[in-house]
Amino acid sequence: MGVAAVAVASLAGVAPAAYAASSVSAVTATPSRFGAGASATYAVGFTATGGLAAGDTITLTGPSGTIFPSLTNNYKVDGSVLAVAPTVGTNTVTITTPPTFVPVIAGGSVTVSAG
């Protein structure tokens, strides 16, 4: 399980229009440790410009060579563990916000723990 680096690349929701988000701003990614090839957990923060609700998806994209874990317990959204398995792709992972996720209005902050 390792994450080389992450950035929030896109955010799309399936919730009502009040929470449907299509972009993010103020993205931060803080690793638990540094070093090429080192496994790390990342805290990724961002502002949901259109809001975010339970059941919406968040896609994280890392640089070439990034390997995202494929188990739900490797991810938290605002402290809540995922209920649906993440979809891992080449340098990307898409996670679904868990049912316990408290909706965030447009301009609200979200933190994802990955790793």
Side-chain angles (χ1 to χ4, degrees):
M1 285 184 294
V3 179
V6 284
V8 176
S10 66
L11 179 64
V14 293
Y19 293 106
S22 59
S23 63
V24 298
S25 64
V27 177
T28 61
T30 307
S32 61
R33 66 176 100 163
F34 295 92
S39 293
T41 298
Y42 277 77
V44 180
F46 61 91
T47 299
T49 58
L52 188 65
D56 285 350
T57 60
I58 300 169
T59 300
L60 304 176
T61 301
S64 179
T66 300
I67 300 169
F68 287 101
S70 60
L71 300 175
T72 57
N73 65 345
N74 289 119
Y75 300 92
K76 291 183 181 177
V77 183
D78 283 350
S80 296
V81 176
L82 302 185
V84 176
T87 302
V88 178
T90 305
N91 306 320
T92 67
V93 63
T94 299
I95 60 175
T96 301
T97 55
T100 55
F101 178 75
V102 176
V104 173
I105 61 170
S109 297
V110 178
T111 301
V112 175
S113 173

